[in-house]
Amino acid sequence: MKRKILVSGLGVLLAGQVYANFQFEGVGARSLGMGGAFTAIANDSSCLYYNPAGLARIKEKEQMYMYSRKLNELAYQYVGLVWEKTGFSYLNQQGNLQKAENMWGDKAGESVYGVSYANMVNERLSVGGSMKILALPNDRKSGTGFALDGGLLYKPDIPQDVNVGFVIRNLGAKIQGESYDLGWALGVAKKQNLKIGKKEGGYNILMALDLYSKRDDNDKMKIKCNLGAETQVFDIIFLRMGFNGGDFTTGIGLKNDKWNLDYAYIVEDSMEGADKYFVSVSMRF
């Protein structure tokens, strides 16, 4: 009975909200473990989603694959590839709820295909943009459209170890004459050394804050906040935690010179029993 209620609720979500505005949860288990506060960090392949200006600061070729599944019904995946200030990305979420949302049809989903480019304006400021193809392969409505993202990433001289990022998403997004929400995010990130416990040298903690726009359940555009933190506890092990709106997030990552393996878990505040997990793998070459 509990699962039936959850599936029915997710059917409404599929048909009415998530698959109507191209508003995704984020990409990459590393950033999601940090509450999705990644606009001012943007230093791996997930920058294609969070802030394309980060492309200009990535020195190595890198590819990322992320996967998530909820209640064995909803699939969510991302593929990102970056090299030489250029990137390609694919983001998809879809579900087949066996007619739980029968008034909408059996399938619901949306996909985004993107190509991105960034460059350094000077040693402190980088700018970037993405051109995206939006696709709705739904039973209720299908079609394609185009949209643009634009972002900047700035590293001030003072204070040190601080980044500031800003991004606009879905500029000009329209499918079959219907416009989609224009989104924005403003973020700040800082590295801070904290003397905790007996560890020599303390812990270097990366902290981040994002403010962003998102439509709520009452169809009103609101300004929301994400918080996140990451620290390295052993040579290859990283721990993360954060808050994404009302949801608590946590994560762990393994990293060496050539690969990352990351896991994130989100405790869903708005729907009991609908907690989410994300797994991503990154390779540098």
Side-chain angles (χ1 to χ4, degrees), residues 249-267:
T249 72
T250 186
I252 186 171
L254 304 178
K255 178 182 179 180
N256 74 1
D257 292 339
K258 293 299 181 183
W259 55 264
N260 286 41
L261 176 61
D262 297 301
Y263 174 85
Y265 184 78
I266 299 180
V267 180

Side-chain angles (χ1 to χ4, degrees), residues 128-141:
S130 301
M131 183 176 68
K132 306 187 298 187
I133 299 175
L134 312 178
L136 282 174
N138 301 337
D139 288 348
R140 177 175 67 95
K141 179 180 180 180

Side-chain angles (χ1 to χ4, degrees), residues 166-227:
F166 179 75
V167 66
I168 294 178
R169 299 191 184 100
N170 291 340
L171 182 65
K174 183 180 293 187
I175 296 179
Q176 294 184 354
E178 181 180 350
S179 297
Y180 290 83
D181 289 337
L182 177 68
W184 61 266
L186 173 65
V188 60
K190 177 175 173 56
K191 284 186 178 180
Q192 182 70 46
N193 182 267
L194 296 180
K195 305 294 185 180
I196 301 175
K198 298 181 179 180
K199 182 181 178 181
E200 184 177 354
Y203 291 90
N204 290 318
I205 299 178
L206 176 60
M207 300 176 291
L209 164 69
D210 273 15
L211 300 176
Y212 62 100
S213 62
K214 187 173 183 179
R215 195 170 295 279
D216 65 11
D217 294 342
N218 297 317
D219 202 33
K220 293 183 179 180
M221 192 64 73
K222 299 287 187 179
I223 296 178
K224 298 194 174 184
C225 173
N226 291 346
L227 292 168

